[in-house]
Amino acid sequence: MNDVFKGLLILHKAQALDSSKPVILETQVRPIQHYIVYKGIGPTGRLKFLQVGSEYDLKEQVFRNFGRILGPFSDVGLIHKWGSGVQFSATFVWVDPSNTVAGSYEVKIEAGNQILYHKPTFRLPLRPGVWSLKLLYEWELVAETLFLVIPLSVYNGHEVSSEQVKFLHNGPGQPYVDHDFSKVEALLGYTNKSSQTRQALSNSRRFGRDLKEWTDTLVSSFWSVQDTCFVNQPLHPTGGSLCLDLELDPCHQTSWSSHAHDPKSVIKNFNANSKVT
């Protein structure tokens, strides 16, 4: 049975209104998939999925960055899976948030079931925001997946300044690769990018509270909150609860929390010979 990534558990602190001592919460979040198949043309009906991430494990053929949390300096790549069928060639097009084609690559898909890895080499930093990876066959759009490059709110251990964001969040300052993709942009209808370019420039200047709010908006489009619980603290004035009106469960009483009881982790019933029974 294959392991399936279902989400992340985030342990964080919050401030209760009636106490100066923070409480500890744990939140379960799940990724929101943005994978669309528009039409299967010819041999592209073999496509099973497209997935962008980083830290690829060649042996296991998975991303070790399980949450695929990407930032401006991430080394991105693509896993693409195919069912059985004939050999053919397809094109992968990487598009940044300003509708700039960062790269366009023709890739050969061998016959038979395949799990393949495609890795472009882009200049960094990547422009933060929503990127698109498009699959084209004979220059017709077959499928795409959207992925998020999260802006940096902290850099070198400090909150980013108004000057740093101009470098961190405005792309590499030159083409991502040394190639002219204007014809590909024209094919995709990206000939007039003035509004996207202005928006990208405006986003690259965000800092402080404005940057955090933009980041929250982006992340909420790619992650959904499933549940939240509080870590029981007997010595805390509220017992660890943030607010009674929220009706949060103690984490040890849930089935999903890292603080939940796990009977498989309990060792008991030692006999006289120190053997587990």
Side-chain angles (χ1 to χ4, degrees):
M1 181 177 179
N2 294 328
D3 292 332
V4 177
F5 175 76
K6 294 184 177 180
L8 298 172
L9 298 180
I10 303 172
L11 198 66
H12 53 106
K13 292 182 179 180
Q15 194 71 47
L17 294 177
D18 54 354
S19 174
S20 60
K21 186 177 180 181
V23 298
I24 301 174
L25 306 177
E26 189 166 48
T27 298
Q28 179 189 32
V29 296
R30 288 190 177 182
I32 299 172
Q33 303 298 332
H34 295 274
Y35 169 56
I36 306 169
V37 176
Y38 295 103
K39 54 184 174 181
I41 305 173
T44 63
R46 296 173 52 193
L47 180 65
K48 298 298 183 182
F49 71 78
L50 305 170
Q51 188 179 77
V52 175
S54 66
E55 300 174 30
Y56 181 66
D57 185 320
L58 181 61
K59 180 180 178 181
E60 300 296 332
Q61 296 181 308
V62 297
F63 290 120
R64 287 301 175 188
N65 175 1
F66 295 113
R68 293 179 284 122
I69 298 173
L70 306 173
F73 295 97
S74 293
D75 196 14
V76 296
L78 169 73
I79 296 175
H80 46 118
K81 184 176 181 180
W82 304 85
S84 61
V86 300
Q87 175 183 299
F88 70 102
S89 293
T91 302
F92 290 127
V93 180
W94 299 74
V95 183
D96 87 351
S98 68
N99 280 355
T100 296
V101 171
S104 177
Y105 304 89
E106 183 175 311
V107 178
K108 181 182 291 186
I109 313 299
E110 300 290 348
N113 295 314
Q114 301 284 334
I115 299 178
L116 304 173
Y117 180 60
H118 160 65
K119 185 185 177 305
T121 302
F122 293 141
R123 289 190 177 95
L124 302 178
L126 304 176
R127 189 185 300 276
V130 180
W131 283 61
S132 171
L133 182 285
K134 301 179 186 293
L135 169 66
L136 283 73
Y137 176 68
E138 296 182 347
W139 296 108
E140 288 194 57
L141 181 61
V142 173
E144 74 174 328
T145 184
L146 306 181
F147 63 97
L148 177 62
V149 175
I150 303 175
L152 297 177
S153 58
V154 175
Y155 186 64
N156 287 337
H158 300 281
E159 186 172 351
V160 295
S161 67
S162 58
E163 291 301 316
Q164 287 176 319
V165 292
K166 296 176 184 178
F167 156 70
L168 296 171
H169 296 161
N170 199 30
Q174 53 185 314
Y176 289 97
V177 297
D178 291 325
H179 192 83
D180 180 10
F181 295 113
S182 57
K183 291 184 179 180
V184 180
E185 291 181 352
L187 178 72
L188 295 174
Y190 297 156
T191 52
N192 185 2
K193 304 184 296 180
S194 56
S195 62
Q196 289 85 357
T197 301
R198 285 195 301 270
Q199 185 62 58
L201 180 61
S202 175
N203 289 336
S204 72
R205 295 172 177 171
R206 296 175 184 258
F207 69 98
R209 184 180 182 86
D210 188 27
L211 174 59
K212 292 178 181 178
E213 290 178 351
W214 178 46
T215 302
D216 287 345
T217 299
L218 290 171
V219 171
S220 65
S221 297
F222 283 80
W223 293 89
S224 64
V225 174
Q226 299 298 300
D227 210 342
T228 297
C229 63
F230 69 89
V231 177
N232 190 41
Q233 300 181 75
L235 299 181
H236 193 281
T238 68
S241 176
L242 177 63
C243 176
L244 295 177
D245 293 338
L246 293 179
E247 298 182 352
L248 298 180
D249 292 323
C251 290
H252 68 275
Q253 293 183 5
T254 69
S255 61
W256 55 267
S257 170
S258 62
H259 291 266
H261 177 64
D262 182 3
K264 297 189 296 297
S265 66
V266 178
I267 300 176
K268 58 183 179 179
N269 298 333
F270 286 87
N271 63 20
N273 297 321
S274 298
K275 294 181 179 179
V276 180
T277 60

